Amino acid sequence: LLINRGDFHLASSVNELIQLAVAQDKSIALYGTLDGSLGALVPMPEQVFRRLFALQAAMSSSPLVPRNAGLNPRAYRTATFHLPLQRQRQRNIADGALIWSYLKLDCLAQRQLARLIGTTPETIYQDLLDLDSVVFSRAL
């Protein structure tokens, strides 16, 4: 039985999904889509998730972060369903594309966003580096 842990709009149909073990009791899911995109679903410690989810929320509403065609990334990634749901929507997935764009911001914007969520840019860099090493050390 699969347990729903999160709903996320991907904007493309998933063609292939594989599961890779990263530790004895943890795994990541790598997927490929019909348009050629690759992605990963990566588990992370609760503290890191909370920090990156707060960063995602700050980046979604901040004028410091440029928008593609003026679109709101939070609204874009919210899952939509054609039939009414029998359950609450789960918003337990951090948007990696948005969070990784933090690295493209200038140093002043990075510092302001980090301060807004109560952390430092160095802590965010370390979180992203740890996630990157989990995916690429096991996937390649």
Side-chain angles (χ1 to χ4, degrees):
L1 178 68
L2 293 176
I3 299 172
N4 181 352
R5 296 290 185 200
D7 297 318
F8 192 78
H9 174 67
L10 193 57
S12 186
S13 297
V14 173
N15 188 40
E16 186 75 26
L17 181 77
I18 61 170
Q19 187 174 3
L20 295 174
V22 294
Q24 188 167 351
D25 60 340
K26 292 186 180 178
S27 61
I28 63 174
L30 298 176
Y31 61 86
T33 64
L34 293 176
D35 67 4
S37 301
L38 298 174
L41 296 171
V42 183
M44 61 183 85
E46 183 73 20
Q47 184 178 11
V48 172
F49 171 76
R50 289 183 186 278
R51 186 169 30 250
L52 294 180
F53 202 72
L55 177 63
Q56 171 183 313
M59 290 177 71
S60 293
S61 61
S62 174
L64 299 170
V65 180
R67 305 268 188 267
N68 292 333
L71 299 175
N72 183 326
R74 183 183 299 168
Y76 175 70
R77 291 295 186 194
T78 300
T80 56
F81 301 94
H82 299 292
L83 299 173
L85 289 180
Q86 302 297 323
R87 58 176 173 76
Q88 287 283 85
R89 283 190 182 149
Q90 300 290 318
R91 292 181 174 91
N92 296 331
I93 297 179
D95 184 355
L98 177 61
I99 292 169
W100 279 95
S101 70
Y102 174 82
L103 299 176
K104 297 177 186 176
L105 300 174
D106 62 75
C107 292
L108 180 61
Q110 288 180 358
R111 191 158 303 283
Q112 288 177 343
L113 285 167
R115 188 179 311 126
L116 187 65
I117 64 169
T119 191
T120 63
E122 292 77 19
T123 305
I124 295 170
Y125 299 154
Q126 189 60 52
D127 290 343
L128 293 174
L129 183 62
D130 292 345
L131 287 176
D132 188 59
S133 68
V134 166
V135 174
F136 290 107
S137 68
R138 305 293 184 211
L140 299 178

